[in-house]
Amino acid sequence: MVFRILVLLFLPILARAGTNDGTILLHNDTTMILTAIIQASDGRFLGQFSVQPGQQSSWTSNLSPTNYVHPGSPNVSLTPFTVIWQCPSEGIFSMCTGVSPGSYVRATICEGTHFCSPKKDLPKEGTPASKLKKIK
């Protein structure tokens, strides 16, 4: 009897749980702020956000099918994902390909240089923005 009550209570939750949510747990295990860029298997941009050093973040995409039909568009899967870890200096720290939903992705496990070059210093005040010389 108790088992039936528990099943009836948790049935809506279990019915909602499924494989339609593409969630990835991202972990920036470096000492730098990195930007995680997520791409679909066909190269489409799905999202990006900054991850602080030592921080874990989850990224979720709803993979539910829609009834929208567009003639001529390919029927391509979004998975497996590609996660690109980008440096503040716009270089690539590392990249993981073949990331499936539910994966735990650390920046230092992915393939890449695992190095960020320092940001270029901004020009000091008083220096001209251009080196073009005026001709009189």
Side-chain angles (χ1 to χ4, degrees):
M1 182 68 180
V2 174
F3 179 72
R4 286 185 182 180
I5 293 173
L6 288 175
V7 169
L8 290 175
L9 288 175
F10 289 108
L11 187 63
I13 295 170
L14 295 174
R16 172 68 182 110
T19 59
N20 289 339
D21 293 334
T23 301
I24 302 172
L25 181 61
L26 302 166
H27 182 191
N28 180 1
D29 56 345
T30 68
T31 58
M32 300 163 275
I33 299 172
L34 296 177
T35 301
I37 301 168
I38 294 92
Q39 292 180 340
S41 62
D42 62 351
R44 279 187 287 166
F45 174 81
L46 296 176
Q48 76 177 35
F49 55 93
S50 293
V51 184
Q52 298 295 320
Q55 181 183 10
Q56 293 182 7
S57 296
S58 63
W59 175 84
T60 303
S61 172
N62 187 356
L63 301 176
S64 298
T66 62
N67 293 330
Y68 177 71
V69 177
H70 186 274
S73 63
N75 187 8
V76 179
S77 173
L78 295 177
T79 60
F81 301 113
T82 298
V83 177
I84 301 169
W85 293 96
Q86 187 176 29
C87 298
S89 60
E90 303 297 321
I92 294 179
F93 182 82
S94 64
M95 180 171 68
C96 281
T97 56
V99 177
S100 55
S103 295
Y104 172 69
V105 181
R106 288 183 11 211
T108 57
I109 288 181
C110 301
E111 295 179 12
T113 61
H114 297 171
F115 174 78
C116 288
S117 58
K119 278 186 167 179
K120 294 180 181 177
D121 292 333
L122 296 173
K124 296 178 183 177
E125 290 185 31
T127 59
S130 173
K131 297 191 184 226
L132 297 174
K133 295 183 179 183
K134 291 183 182 178
I135 299 176
K136 294 183 181 181

